Amino acid sequence: MPSTLTPHGLRSGADLLACATPEEQKAFLADLDEASLLALPYIFEFWALPHQLPPEGQWRSWVILGGRGAGKTRAGAEWVRSQVEGSRPMDVGRARRVALVGETFDQAREVMVFGESGILACSPPDRRPRWEATRRRLVWPNGAVAQVFSAHEPEALRGPQFDAAWVDELAKWKKGQDTWDMLQFGLRLGVNPQQVVTTTPKNVGVLRTLLDAPSTVSTHAPTEANRAYLAASFLEEVRTRYGGTRQGRQELDGLMLEDAEGALWSTAQLEAGRVKELPAFDRVVVAVDPPVTGHAGSDACGIVVVGVTTQGAPQDWRAVVIEDASVVASSPSAWAEAAIDALRRHGGDRLVAEVNQGGDLVESVLRQIDPMIPYRAVRASRGKIARAEPVAALYEQGRIAHAAGLGELEDQMCQMTAQGFQGKGSPDRVDALVWAIFDAMIAPSATWQRPRVRTL
C-alpha cells in the first residue's frame, strides 16, 4: 500500500490504513507473512508524507524545505538508506561513497547519525551500519561508507569523492558557499551523483542559487504536515507565539522570505519590534489605499489599522500596527465595507483614504455605507518611496512596533527599496501603512506645540 493519489491529495499507505475500517486493517495485516510484518516499519514509502519522497526525473539536487519538525531529517536519512542499500543486506546499492555534511561535526553526528530520525534509528537490524568514531564514518554491511563533515571546515572536503551526499540545514552554514562549492567538486562518482538538502529556508545566497539551478528539484511542507508525530502542546505553543509573524512563516511554514537588497525594512528589524500585548491607545487610525478598479481581478485594497500613544513630546510617541485588513474586493462597496468594519472593530478615531485615483468617489462610496464616518482624504504629492522613507525612519528609531498576523504586509515592506518596490504587483498594503502612520504620528507632530508652563 504505497503512497496513493486520492481525491483529497497524495496520502501515504499509513494514512490509508488508518482511515480503513478495523476489519480492513485486520485483513491487510493478516495477509502479511512474518517477514513482511517485521519489514513493514522500515518500508519508508509506506509511511512517508508526500514531501518526504524524492521527485522523479534526472535531478542532481533535491531540496526539502520545511518548517521545524516537518520531517526533513527523516526524509534525508531514508534517502541515504535508499541509495546505499541493495535488495538484500549484502547487496550493493546505487551509492557506495556518501558525504554527510552538517553545520558542525557534533550536530551532524547527533542529528544525522544518532538522532531519533537519523540513519541508525531508521535502519533495520540486518542493514544497520556501524559507527566508527575515530574515522567519523558509518560503514554498512555491504561495504558502503558515509563520512561525516562539518561546514565549518570546507577544506576537509577537498580530496574525497562521492556518489551521493546529504546536506543538513544549509541555510544556517556560516561558510555555506565555500563548503557547498567544495562538496560539488567531490560529488563526481557514478553515472548520476545526487544530493539531498534538508533545511529550514532562509534568504541566503547559497540556497537561492541552488533553488534557481535547472538541475534542482524541491519539495516543501510546513510544521503542521507532520503534526501526527509532534506534541500537541508544542504546536499550540509555537503557533500562539509565532503564528502570523515573518519568523513563523519561515520557521513553521517553511517559506522562503526574501528581503530585497537595500530594503527600507528588514525581517530582523520587524521581528525585534514585535509586541505580544497591545497598550492603551490615544488614537486609532484606519488607512485605505483603494484600488484603481473594483473587480475580482483588481489589486488588493490596502487597509491597515494603527494605534498610537501620544503622551509627551512627539519623540516620545509610539505606534503599533494592529491589523492588516486588506482585501481583494469585487466592487468598491466591498472594500469600503471592509475598511469601515475595521474602523468599528478597533474603535477607530478616523478613516484616511488616498484619493489620487478615485477622487470624490472614494468618499461617496464610504458614506453610502456610513454617512457619519470620521473621514479624511489624502492626496499624494510625492512618490511612494519618498512617502515611505520618513515612516521607515520611525521604525529605525524603534517607535513603531507590530502585532502578530501581519505577514503579507511585512513581505511587501521587505521588498520596498530606495529604487522602488521589488515585489510583484502593487505595494498596496505598504501604501496604506504609510498613510496610517502619517496621519497618526507625522502630521500631528508637525503642528504639536509644547504645553505652556504657567508661572506665578
Side-chain angles (χ1 to χ4, degrees):
M1 191 180 295
S3 297
T4 306
L5 188 61
T6 73
H8 302 287
L10 191 64
R11 305 172 67 180
S12 69
D15 287 337
L16 297 176
L17 185 61
C19 294
T21 65
E23 291 75 16
E24 291 172 330
Q25 293 173 352
K26 289 179 181 179
F28 170 75
L29 295 174
D31 285 341
L32 301 178
D33 57 30
E34 183 178 359
S36 298
L37 281 172
L38 292 173
L40 187 60
Y42 300 101
I43 300 175
F44 188 57
E45 291 81 359
F46 182 86
W47 305 99
L49 297 168
H51 70 278
Q52 295 177 307
L53 295 173
E56 297 180 356
Q58 294 298 308
W59 46 267
R60 178 176 174 86
S61 303
W62 170 29
V63 181
I64 306 174
L65 298 173
R68 300 289 185 91
K72 304 184 297 297
T73 301
R74 178 67 185 272
E78 294 287 358
W79 181 81
V80 170
R81 275 192 59 206
S82 73
Q83 299 301 295
V84 301
E85 292 179 6
S87 299
R88 294 171 299 183
M90 300 305 293
D91 288 350
V92 174
R94 194 193 73 84
R96 300 280 292 168
R97 295 291 180 267
V98 182
L100 305 177
V101 192
E103 183 181 11
T104 66
F105 170 72
D106 288 344
Q107 289 177 0
R109 181 189 59 204
E110 297 304 318
V111 174
M112 303 171 78
V113 176
F114 287 96
E116 292 183 359
S117 298
I119 293 172
L120 292 177
C122 296
S123 299
D126 60 346
R127 299 160 188 260
R128 185 169 295 143
R130 72 177 185 275
W131 172 245
E132 296 183 350
T134 57
R135 302 186 68 177
R136 297 183 176 183
R137 69 178 193 172
L138 288 169
V139 180
W140 273 263
N142 65 4
V145 174
Q147 191 169 352
V148 175
F149 296 90
S150 166
H152 284 293
E153 302 174 2
E155 288 299 312
L157 285 159
R158 185 186 295 275
Q161 52 186 351
F162 315 99
D163 47 20
W166 172 20
V167 166
D168 190 46
E169 294 297 353
L170 172 64
K172 290 175 56 182
W173 294 0
K174 289 181 172 58
K175 299 181 179 180
Q177 193 63 63
D178 290 342
T179 306
W180 179 259
D181 290 341
M182 286 295 101
L183 176 61
Q184 301 318 295
F185 288 126
L187 195 64
R188 57 180 182 258
L189 295 180
V191 177
N192 180 34
Q194 294 179 311
Q195 57 198 341
V196 63
V197 178
T198 53
T199 188
T200 301
K202 192 175 181 181
N203 185 26
V204 294
V206 63
L207 182 57
R208 288 198 310 269
T209 302
L210 173 61
L211 290 171
D212 289 339
S215 59
T216 297
V217 296
S218 65
T219 56
H220 163 264
T223 299
E224 296 278 352
N226 202 33
R227 60 185 177 276
Y229 301 98
L230 301 173
S233 58
F234 163 77
L235 289 173
E236 181 180 1
E237 175 67 21
V238 295
R239 281 297 176 192
T240 299
R241 184 170 181 178
Y242 300 107
T245 68
R246 276 180 68 83
Q247 187 175 7
R249 298 182 75 198
Q250 175 176 282
E251 301 293 332
L252 301 179
D253 295 334
L255 298 176
M256 174 75 84
L257 304 180
E258 297 187 12
D259 293 1
E261 185 175 353
L264 300 182
W265 294 274
S266 69
T267 297
Q269 178 191 54
L270 296 176
E271 291 299 341
R274 189 79 59 190
V275 296
K276 296 180 180 179
E277 296 183 3
L278 299 179
F281 297 115
D282 297 310
R283 290 185 68 230
V284 173
V285 173
V286 177
V288 183
D289 178 46
V292 177
T293 57
H295 54 75
S298 301
D299 289 330
C301 173
I303 304 172
V304 172
V305 185
V306 170
V308 60
T309 57
T310 56
Q311 303 299 313
Q315 60 265 30
D316 299 320
W317 298 357
R318 297 291 184 270
V320 177
V321 183
I322 304 170
E323 183 185 359
D324 174 11
S326 304
V327 294
V328 176
S330 58
S331 65
S333 61
W335 61 253
E337 288 179 357
I340 292 174
D341 285 347
L343 187 76
R344 293 169 177 166
R345 187 164 56 251
H346 294 282
D349 298 281
R350 177 180 288 170
L351 192 150
V352 178
E354 182 182 323
V355 297
N356 283 55
Q357 301 293 340
D360 294 339
L361 178 62
V362 173
E363 181 177 4
S364 176
V365 172
L366 289 165
R367 294 205 182 279
Q368 286 176 15
I369 299 170
D370 184 352
M372 302 302 294
I373 186 173
Y375 169 81
R376 185 167 80 89
V378 290
R379 188 176 296 274
S381 59
R382 298 187 297 166
K384 296 179 185 293
I385 303 304
R387 297 198 307 271
E389 286 177 336
V391 176
L394 294 176
Y395 276 85
E396 290 180 2
Q397 295 167 14
R399 295 172 57 189
I400 304 176
H402 279 199
L406 304 173
E408 292 181 276
L409 166 62
E410 293 168 353
D411 285 349
Q412 286 193 355
M413 295 172 71
C414 292
Q415 293 293 304
M416 290 288 290
T417 75
Q419 287 71 45
F421 181 57
Q422 303 300 311
K424 297 180 180 179
S426 172
D428 31 63
R429 300 169 193 268
V430 177
D431 286 342
L433 167 73
V434 168
W435 285 121
I437 298 297
F438 179 83
D439 190 86
M441 294 185 73
I442 296 176
S445 66
T447 59
W448 181 84
Q449 294 183 351
R450 183 178 298 276
R452 294 181 178 179
V453 178
R454 300 181 65 180
T455 57
L456 298 176

